């Protein structure tokens, strides 16, 4: 069984989380065990870690990338 950790922002609704969870199971298979964590610093979006691979789709990460582009 694959193990995943999904970190979401505080404001994510249960409906949105459920839709996201269904997408994860569709992509990685129904035999995936997902643990949910809440991190208010994400602002929005999520970070998914599956078998050590990180998929960062958070607003805070996006804003950090923009900040790097502006500074360089």
């Amino acid at each position: 069984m694959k193990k995943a950790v999904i970190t979401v922002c505080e404001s994510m609704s249960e409906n949105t989380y459920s839709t996201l969870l269904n997408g994860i199971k569709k992509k990685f298979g129904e035999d995936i065990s997902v643990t949910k964590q809440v991190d208010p610093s994400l602002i929005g979006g999520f970070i998914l870690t599956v078998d050590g691979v990180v998929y960062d789709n958070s607003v805070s990460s996006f804003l950090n990338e923009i900040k790097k582009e502006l500074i360089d």
Side-chain angles (χ1 to χ4, degrees):
M1 176 177 280
K2 289 184 181 179
K3 293 186 179 186
V5 176
I6 185 161
T7 306
V8 298
C9 65
E10 242 176 352
S11 63
M12 182 176 283
S13 72
E14 283 303 314
N15 188 36
T16 301
Y17 176 73
S18 179
T19 301
L20 183 58
L21 191 57
N22 288 336
I24 292 168
K25 288 183 177 186
K26 185 177 178 182
K27 178 163 178 70
F28 295 101
E30 290 290 327
D31 66 334
I32 191 166
S33 170
V34 181
T35 304
K36 178 181 175 183
Q37 296 178 343
V38 176
D39 181 355
S41 72
L42 293 184
I43 304 169
F46 63 92
I47 299 173
L48 175 66
T49 306
V50 179
D51 292 336
V53 179
V54 178
Y55 303 90
D56 190 343
N57 192 25
S58 65
V59 172
S60 60
S61 176
F62 178 70
L63 291 174
N64 282 334
E65 288 299 316
I66 291 174
K67 181 178 175 182
K68 286 179 190 175
E69 291 286 325
L70 292 173
I71 292 174
D72 289 341

